[in-house]
Amino acid sequence: MTPMKPPRIIVLAALCLFAGTASAHPGHAAAGFAGGLVHPLLGADHLLAMIAIGLWAAQQGGRALWAVPAAFAGTMMLGGALAWSGWVLPHVETGIALSVLVLGLLIAARRQWSVTAGMSLAALFALFHGYAHGLEIPQAASPASYAVGFVLATLSLHGVGIAGSLIGRRATRLAGMGIAAAGLALMLGV
Ligand SMILES: [Zn+2]
């Protein structure tokens, strides 16, 4: 065991601090474009899962770099549409928290997945993230603008994750551990 160097500890500490202070899922006060844009940034669950998708995609490399985030963003819209059409998906909040935990563990484990498997998993998780919001979109002042804002914020967070992977392989894995810990906390509701 080599001792952790300060930058890595800072990454971990920042994540833990963040997980502790950001509330799991603040209100879905749906509005227009701005509401959709800020929503993923306000809740630790969406934020961490979406950054994790970027980190994981970058770690997988190759085609997965864009295919995994694309699968997530695309299926998220599908989930929203399904919710809108009255489809019932149980355990939405648990699914969202689980996505944070599992993605964190995947980043920490750093195993190579096939692009198809990676896209499928990202799509499955995105279904929950999208569904949670499709329910509220009908109440939005401007549903289409809200959806556009939400998707843009999601893609930006994937970008943050991809850029974040530049901190290095080991630091990325440590960040994965921090994300997994935050996901566990979300699941336990602490
Ligand atoms: Zn939400």
Side-chain angles (χ1 to χ4, degrees), residues 8 11 13 26 28 41 50-51 56 63 79 108 115 130 164 167 173 181:
R8 285 153 193 172
V11 170
H28 287 91
L41 310 175
M50 288 160 183
I51 290 177
W56 191 50
R63 221 153 55 81
V115 176
I167 54 175
R173 295 184 71 176

Side-chain angles (χ1 to χ4, degrees), residues 25 28 39 46 133:
H25 213 148
H28 287 91
H39 181 77
H46 298 306
H133 304 97

Side-chain angles (χ1 to χ4, degrees), residues 72-85 87 123 126-127 130-131:
F72 188 93
T75 316
M76 198 180 67
M77 287 188 269
L78 178 71
L82 287 172
W84 207 351
S85 66
W87 187 64
L127 213 52
Y131 181 87

Side-chain angles (χ1 to χ4, degrees), residues 100-144:
V100 179
L101 172 63
V102 172
L103 286 167
L105 289 175
L106 289 174
I107 294 163
R110 204 174 142 251
R111 293 269 153 71
Q112 193 65 43
W113 281 48
S114 75
V115 176
T116 313
M119 286 175 74
S120 306
L121 189 74
L124 175 72
F125 289 149
L127 213 52
F128 287 94
H129 286 266
Y131 181 87
H133 304 97
L135 290 177
E136 284 114 26
I137 285 182
Q139 298 149 28
S142 173

Side-chain angles (χ1 to χ4, degrees), residues 18 29 41 46 52 71 73 88 92 114 132 166 183:
F18 178 79
L41 310 175
H46 298 306
V88 177
V92 176
S114 75
L166 299 174

